[in-house]
């Protein structure tokens, strides 16, 4: 699903520049790349290999990375919901220039925006900077973001975690990434919720699963069922540990 | 490439036994294959102890955890041999949840001469038996049997990443992401929990256990590494639950080198005591480090495995390669260390001469008895004829598992589903 290696920038720039390597002329700013990394990380946290329990070490490392980015963004005061994409754009599968993100702090000092410097990004710039189509889904029209927010009480644990991430993004508070691990002792990701959600709104193509997050239409199984499972797991855990 | 990833014969662990006579591999399909070194014979000097298949058996099967609605993979994460105490060989093999003790024994004789059954195998009427005949052992074709002697199950909520046999040969430990358990080989229905780093509130989880090993001589000491690049040495005599370490090894971060990927690349994927017990070696994403047990504040040696990847970390994060867990090994005299890389490359570092070499495990380069040619990765500027550029590296060909014979210069290298065995050139 993810492209490998560095990607070329959008052809609409009229140039064929390899991201980050050869001194690209229109290098995306640090904060845009940071946003892109954050989006990629959130996508990684949500993608689960359905049949086997996900790797806890990997999840912890990604969650810590998300937290770092959020903390830095909070310091910068650059929390904002990215401007909505116009519908019908071409798929955005270009990897943001990786070089900036890999550079050390010292090198970046000259480039990072001040606390209230705007990113200066207009909708025109954004297309060149998003990652995979699924990331685009996360930044879908603002209305669906709010939908996700408002119907939270119907969520299972998995959607709940995602909500909290969104809440974090909009409220500029840090620390809600921890919620991600709140249910790790119960089914690691609430597969029922995920699978139901995906089935409910599925379209063809690999990005479809994540479209579920932007549409509030797919109802998860009842939360009472999930809490039963959670308790059972808890009981089993006690048995195992004694 | 997708197909390759799910092949059941992808090797997931490699381990020599304590004499080097046997070499065990485990694979993604739950199988264990044991190779045995040929006895050297005077007639065939050239066949200097080659390894041939000795035994193959299915160690673990896939299981389904009904409570969590998740599969438990049968992939063998680790194999560890027990020292040999009689004619049979014993090894521990583990998947994510269950450790098993296997006995591998030879049978080359068969008792014959029972007179209690007739030719068709039916029991004879005791009244017709008038003589007492003692069966005689007669030679038969060699048969190697593997039997599971113990199954140590239901003790790990999280995925087992390490097992380590204690020097007392009576106990061993198994470590998962958050806990380490101590077992007695004779007792399968209980284990002692000796490390538990699970936070009371899972929302506060920021660090996991990545590897653990017992000290080779001191049966009370062990180390475990973490995803934050730290190593803790624990003493089981201090308390039953070894949550408080005796020593804490961590290298201070270089603030000028910090990026969003700093923590991920500092996560330790493997920790190994030297044979002497004086040093530990750790592998993180880009380096191998050697630590002196007497110095906690920094490693005494750091070796760059593939520093040219440092500028590619974002791509490697995107394609998940940054989470690859490479192992590392010592040679028998602790003078050389070895670890794997991408493109089927593996690296050796001589600690005394400070020289290093990059070699490749591939079919094209490996006709039998061919000498391996050193390889080089070109990091920029002009690429020489034999060099390979960073962008041409194949990241799907990763060497995660290697092993070094305990006393000779023989190495085993697992490249996806192929096993390569290299020996020092004679003459």
């Amino acid at each position: 699903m993810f492209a490998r290696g560095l990607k070329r920038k959008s052809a609409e720039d009229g140039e064929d520049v390899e991201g980050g390597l050869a001194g690209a002329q229109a290098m995306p700013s640090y904060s845009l790349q940071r946003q892109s990394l954050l989006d990629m990380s959130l996508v990684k946290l949500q993608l689960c290999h359905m049949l086997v329990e996900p790797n806890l070490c990997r999840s912890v490392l990604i969650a810590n990375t998300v937290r770092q980015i959020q903390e830095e963004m909070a310091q910068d005061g650059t929390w904002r919901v990215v401007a909505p994409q116009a519908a019908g754009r071409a798929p955005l599968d270009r990897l943001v220039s990786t070089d900036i993100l890999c550079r050390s702090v010292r090198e970046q000092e000259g480039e990072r925006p001040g606390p209230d410097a705007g990113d200066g990004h207009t909708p025109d710039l954004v297309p060149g900077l998003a990652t995979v189509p699924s990331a685009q889904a996360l930044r879908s029209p603002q209305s669906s973001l709010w939908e996700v927010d408002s119907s939270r009480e119907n969520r299972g644990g998995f959607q709940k975690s995602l909500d909290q991430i969104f809440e974090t993004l909009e409220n500029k508070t840090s620390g809600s990434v921890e919620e991600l691990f709140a249910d790790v002792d119960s089914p690691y990701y609430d597969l029922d919720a995920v699978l139901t959600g995906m089935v409910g709104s599925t379209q063809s193509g690999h990005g479809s699963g994540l479209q579920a997050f932007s549409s509030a239409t797919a109802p998860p199984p009842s939360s009472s069922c999930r809490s039963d499972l959670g308790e059972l797991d808890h009981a089993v855990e006690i048995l195992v540990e004694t | 490439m997708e197909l390759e990833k799910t092949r059941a014969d992808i090797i997931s662990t490699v381990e020599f036994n304590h004499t080097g006579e046997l070499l065990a591999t485990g694979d993604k399909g739950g199988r264990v294959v044991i190779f045995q070194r040929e006895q050297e014979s005077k007639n065939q000097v050239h066949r200097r102890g080659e390894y041939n298949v000795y035994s193959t058996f299915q160690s673990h099967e896939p299981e389904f955890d009904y409570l969590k609605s998740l599969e438990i993979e049968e992939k063998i994460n680790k194999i560890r041999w027990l020292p040999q105490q009689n004619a049979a060989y014993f090894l521990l093999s583990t998947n994510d949840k269950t450790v098993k003790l296997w006995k591998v024994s030879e049978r080359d004789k068969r008792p014959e001469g029972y007179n209690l059954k007739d030719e068709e195998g039916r029991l004879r009427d005791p009244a017709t038996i008038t003589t007492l005949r003692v069966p005689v052992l007669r030679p038969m074709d060699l048969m190697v049997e593997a039997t599971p002697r113990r199954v140590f199950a239901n003790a790990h909520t999280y995925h087992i990443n390490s097992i380590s046999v204690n020097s007392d040969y009576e106990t061993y430990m198994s470590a998962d992401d958050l806990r380490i358990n101590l077992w007695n080989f004779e007792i399968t229905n209980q284990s002692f929990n000796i490390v538990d780093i699970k936070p009371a509130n899972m929302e506060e989880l920021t660090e996991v256990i990545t590897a653990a090993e017992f000290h080779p001589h001191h049966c009370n000491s062990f180390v475990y590494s973490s995803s934050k690049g730290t190593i803790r040495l624990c003493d089981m005599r201090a308390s039953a639950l070894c949550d408080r370490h005796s020593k804490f090894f961590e290298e201070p971060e270089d603030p000028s080198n910090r990026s969003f990927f700093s923590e991920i690349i500092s996560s330790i994927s493997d920790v190994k005591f030297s044979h002497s017990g004086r040093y530990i070696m750790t592998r993180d994403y880009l380096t191998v480090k050697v630590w002196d047990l007497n110095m906690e504040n920094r490693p005494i040696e750091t070796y760059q495995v593939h520093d040219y990847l440092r500028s590619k970390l974002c791509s490697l994060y995107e394609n998940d390669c940054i989470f690859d867990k490479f192992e590392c090994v010592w040679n028998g005299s602790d003078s050389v260390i070895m670890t794997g890389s991408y493109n089927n490359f593996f690296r050796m570092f001589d600690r005394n001469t400070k020289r290093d070499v990059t070699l490749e495990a591939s079919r094209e380069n490996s006709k039998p008895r061919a000498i391996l040619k050193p390889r080089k990765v070109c990091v920029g500027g002009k690429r020489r004829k034999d060099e390979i550029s960073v962008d041409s590296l194949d990241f799907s060909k990763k060497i995660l598992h290697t092993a070094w014979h305990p006393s000779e210069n023989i190495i085993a290298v697992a490249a996806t589903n192929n096993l390569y065995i290299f020996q020092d050139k004679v003459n």
Side-chain angles (χ1 to χ4, degrees):
Chain A
M1 182 176 185
F2 286 107
R4 305 177 69 202
L6 299 175
K7 295 292 194 177
R8 297 172 183 278
K9 283 197 71 182
S10 163
E12 70 191 55
D13 286 342
E15 309 163 47
D16 208 16
V17 180
E18 227 171 357
L21 273 188
Q25 271 105 333
M27 188 103 74
S29 77
Y30 171 85
S31 58
L32 287 165
Q33 295 192 29
R34 183 177 60 186
Q35 178 70 48
S36 168
L37 182 65
L38 178 64
D39 294 337
M40 193 201 308
S41 303
L42 293 174
V43 167
K44 278 183 179 300
L45 282 175
Q46 312 311 338
L47 279 180
C48 37
H49 304 283
M50 297 301 167
L51 295 173
V52 182
E53 212 164 357
N55 185 326
L56 185 62
C57 181
R58 176 178 174 274
S59 302
V60 167
L61 289 173
I62 297 173
N64 290 351
T65 305
V66 167
R67 196 178 294 115
Q68 262 186 64
I69 297 174
Q70 289 173 347
E71 282 168 5
E72 193 182 277
M73 288 169 99
Q75 282 172 11
D76 287 351
T78 53
W79 283 111
R80 65 184 70 218
V81 174
V82 176
Q85 296 286 328
R89 288 238 183 225
L92 307 172
D93 59 351
R94 281 164 292 281
L95 176 65
V96 170
S97 162
T98 63
D99 192 43
I100 283 187
L101 289 171
C102 299
R103 289 191 208 153
S104 63
V105 162
R106 194 195 305 139
E107 295 170 35
Q108 287 165 359
E109 235 139 47
E111 297 177 27
R112 284 169 59 175
D116 47 39
D119 286 338
H121 74 269
T122 65
D124 289 331
L125 270 184
V126 172
L129 300 167
T131 54
V132 292
S134 48
Q136 181 186 0
L138 286 174
R139 294 205 227 132
S140 291
Q142 197 130 349
S143 56
S144 53
L145 205 64
W146 295 113
E147 273 177 45
V148 163
D149 186 45
S150 62
S151 50
R152 191 171 308 144
E153 45 285 318
N154 290 337
R155 294 305 145 92
F158 175 59
Q159 293 273 18
K160 179 174 77 141
S161 307
L162 185 58
D163 289 348
Q164 273 144 359
I165 291 172
F166 282 129
E167 185 185 8
T168 301
L169 288 177
E170 74 191 66
N171 290 343
K172 307 179 188 186
T173 56
S174 61
S176 296
V177 167
E178 288 86 356
E179 303 288 350
L180 208 57
F181 295 110
D183 295 328
V184 78
D185 287 340
S186 53
Y188 188 81
Y189 290 115
D190 253 295
L191 293 178
D192 292 340
V194 172
L195 290 170
T196 308
M198 287 193 179
V199 165
S201 63
T202 194
Q203 299 132 32
S204 61
H206 54 74
S208 64
L210 292 148
Q211 300 291 346
F213 303 153
S214 56
S215 80
T217 55
S222 70
S223 49
S224 61
C225 173
R226 194 167 338 286
S227 64
D228 287 343
L229 275 180
E231 281 170 10
L232 194 52
D233 241 296
H234 184 56
V236 169
E237 190 183 337
I238 291 175
L239 287 172
V240 165
E241 286 177 26
T242 50
Chain B
M1 201 207 80
E2 204 55 47
L3 183 63
E4 207 181 300
K5 270 189 181 164
T6 55
R7 288 178 63 169
D9 56 351
I10 292 175
I11 298 171
S12 49
T13 184
V14 188
E15 188 82 354
F16 281 99
N17 75 338
H18 293 262
T19 61
E21 181 203 354
L22 299 180
L23 175 67
T25 62
D27 67 23
K28 210 165 182 292
R31 256 186 353 157
V32 171
V33 180
I34 302 178
F35 299 84
Q36 185 187 43
R37 195 175 186 193
E38 269 181 14
Q39 300 289 5
E40 295 182 24
S41 71
K42 297 188 185 75
N43 305 338
Q44 300 185 300
V45 176
H46 287 303
R47 291 181 69 80
R48 203 178 131 254
E50 293 188 354
Y51 284 84
N52 301 313
V53 177
Y54 177 66
S55 172
T56 302
F57 57 93
Q58 188 73 31
S59 172
H60 287 70
E61 299 276 3
E63 289 173 49
F64 195 76
D65 181 336
Y66 291 94
L67 287 174
K68 295 188 180 184
S69 289
L70 292 169
E71 275 187 12
I72 300 172
E73 278 191 313
E74 67 274 31
K75 174 168 74 85
I76 308 293
N77 293 336
K78 285 287 180 337
I79 289 174
R80 289 289 183 264
W81 291 93
L82 270 66
Q84 199 174 0
Q85 291 176 307
N86 53 37
Y89 304 102
F90 287 88
L91 61 81
L92 287 174
S93 71
T94 187
N95 68 349
D96 284 338
K97 298 286 189 179
T98 303
V99 185
K100 295 188 183 180
L101 176 68
W102 287 89
K103 176 182 177 183
V104 182
S105 50
E106 294 182 6
R107 192 194 289 264
D108 62 355
K109 294 183 188 43
R110 172 174 55 213
E112 288 178 12
Y114 287 106
N115 64 338
L116 300 176
K117 296 182 183 173
D118 63 19
E119 281 106 22
E120 279 144 33
R122 289 180 301 218
L123 281 173
R124 288 169 61 185
D125 177 3
T128 65
I129 300 171
T130 54
T131 60
L132 179 68
R133 191 150 24 125
V134 177
V136 178
L137 289 175
R138 295 205 187 284
M140 59 178 257
D141 289 339
L142 179 66
M143 204 170 73
V144 181
E145 313 177 297
T147 46
R149 303 295 296 182
R150 303 274 188 277
V151 176
F152 306 92
N154 302 323
H156 285 280
T157 309
Y158 306 98
H159 290 178
I160 298 174
N161 53 55
S162 312
I163 45 176
S164 178
V165 179
N166 204 349
S167 51
D168 64 8
Y169 305 154
E170 290 181 0
T171 56
Y172 76 93
M173 71 157 134
S174 55
D176 67 30
D177 295 311
L178 298 179
R179 299 194 177 100
I180 302 180
N181 294 330
L182 180 72
W183 301 85
N184 182 301
F185 280 111
E186 301 302 318
I187 301 169
T188 59
N189 61 357
Q190 57 175 326
S191 66
F192 288 102
N193 176 242
I194 53 176
V195 174
D196 188 338
I197 65 167
K198 182 182 173 193
N201 188 352
M202 276 300 276
E203 297 164 8
E204 293 162 4
L205 179 66
T206 59
E207 189 175 12
V208 301
I209 297 170
T210 52
E213 195 180 51
F214 268 118
H215 191 284
H217 312 308
H218 305 311
C219 57
N220 54 290
S221 283
F222 64 93
V223 291
Y224 69 91
S225 59
S226 84
S227 55
K228 286 196 171 174
T230 67
I231 308 105
R232 288 169 176 80
L233 177 77
C234 299
D235 186 336
M236 294 196 292
R237 296 170 302 190
S239 69
L241 187 61
C242 299
D243 278 356
R244 292 175 58 202
H245 49 262
S246 314
K247 296 198 183 196
F248 180 76
F249 299 84
E250 185 179 29
E251 186 171 25
E253 194 182 14
D254 177 7
S256 64
N257 237 345
R258 182 153 181 72
S259 75
F260 285 122
F261 306 108
S262 294
E263 183 181 316
I264 298 179
I265 63 170
S266 76
S267 175
I268 292 174
S269 51
D270 195 15
V271 66
K272 293 268 170 49
F273 272 101
S274 63
H275 292 91
S276 63
R278 286 186 51 199
Y279 305 103
I280 46 179
M281 167 168 55
T282 58
R283 175 71 154 97
D284 52 59
Y285 191 62
L286 297 178
T287 72
V288 183
K289 298 186 163 120
V290 177
W291 306 73
D292 186 319
L293 281 187
N294 297 317
M295 187 158 71
E296 297 170 55
N297 59 351
R298 61 181 163 81
I300 56 170
E301 295 154 30
T302 299
Y303 301 94
Q304 302 295 332
V305 180
H306 38 216
D307 199 57
Y308 45 78
L309 296 182
R310 198 176 286 271
S311 59
K312 312 277 184 187
L313 291 178
C314 199
S315 301
L316 295 164
Y317 178 71
E318 189 196 22
N319 65 16
D320 264 16
C321 281
I322 207 174
F323 301 106
D324 286 336
K325 292 186 188 287
F326 293 94
E327 293 171 6
C328 53
V329 291
W330 298 87
N331 74 337
S333 58
D334 298 336
S335 58
V336 183
I337 57 184
M338 174 169 70
T339 189
S341 177
Y342 294 105
N343 209 72
N344 280 349
F345 287 170
F346 57 99
R347 304 261 285 137
M348 289 190 201
F349 302 92
D350 188 316
R351 297 177 60 215
N352 299 324
T353 65
K354 300 303 179 196
R355 281 166 47 193
D356 63 82
V357 69
T358 303
L359 300 169
E360 182 178 0
S362 76
R363 285 188 194 279
E364 297 83 47
N365 299 347
S366 301
K367 303 186 182 45
R369 271 166 277 283
I371 296 178
L372 286 180
K373 207 176 54 165
R375 308 284 301 175
K376 196 148 158 48
V377 176
C378 158
V379 289
K382 284 186 140 172
R383 185 177 76 86
R384 295 210 200 102
K385 195 172 71 104
D386 277 345
E387 293 181 352
I388 181 167
S389 74
V390 181
D391 294 314
S392 310
L393 294 175
D394 187 343
F395 289 93
S396 68
K397 294 186 180 164
K398 48 194 92 176
I399 293 186
L400 305 173
H401 314 288
T402 61
W404 205 309
H405 188 286
S407 51
E408 297 186 36
N409 281 343
I410 304 173
I411 58 174
V413 176
T416 317
N417 59 326
N418 293 313
L419 180 71
Y420 293 83
I421 300 178
F422 301 111
Q423 299 188 16
D424 237 7
K425 178 177 179 294
V426 183
N427 316 328

